[in-house]
Amino acid sequence: RTYEHSTLVWKHVKTIGAEGTNTGQFKHPIGAAVHPIDGRIFISDERNHRVQVFDRAGDFVSTFGSFGSGPACLSDPMGIAFMPNKNAIVVCEYNSCRIHLFDENGGNLR
């Protein structure tokens, strides 16, 4: 038997963000999800209590969520994933033990 082996070589393309609280900056980025159609990158920014959105080139687009316990407020968001069949983003919180559903623009669905 003959097996062909291909080695993937990864190269650094771009660093997104730096430490801080301004848009495009992070305080403990812990989760990431890539939009299945347009390639936008959604990052759960745990200690800034928000989700930040970047285009496929890594440039800042928008942010949603803020600290709190009300609807669309986040307290240490961690896990993030897409539900393509619902056009929704699922965000799991650490401190308040909640799971949020947002639309693709950050609007609260629940």
Side-chain angles (χ1 to χ4, degrees):
R1 292 185 180 177
T2 302
Y3 294 97
E4 290 186 30
H5 178 67
S6 163
T7 302
L8 293 176
V9 178
W10 296 90
K11 72 175 191 173
H12 181 266
V13 176
K14 184 173 187 171
T15 297
I16 299 174
E19 185 176 356
T21 59
N22 292 324
T23 56
Q25 296 181 328
F26 303 103
K27 289 190 88 174
H28 203 212
I30 194 163
V34 177
H35 191 282
I37 296 171
D38 64 24
R40 285 178 294 163
I41 305 163
F42 290 69
I43 307 290
S44 54
D45 187 4
E46 182 188 12
R47 293 296 178 188
N48 282 326
H49 310 285
R50 64 187 177 192
V51 172
Q52 296 200 64
V53 185
F54 298 83
D55 65 19
R56 66 182 329 133
D59 298 318
F60 177 80
V61 173
S62 64
T63 185
F64 61 89
S66 61
F67 181 71
S69 59
C73 291
L74 298 170
S75 178
D76 295 325
M78 296 183 86
I80 187 167
F82 278 95
M83 293 178 63
N85 59 334
K86 301 254 187 215
N87 291 325
I89 303 161
V90 180
V91 179
C92 303
E93 293 179 299
Y94 177 74
N95 275 338
S96 62
C97 301
R98 298 184 300 174
I99 297 172
H100 293 273
L101 293 177
F102 292 97
D103 66 25
E104 292 182 14
N105 298 311
N108 192 29
L109 295 177
R110 285 186 108 168

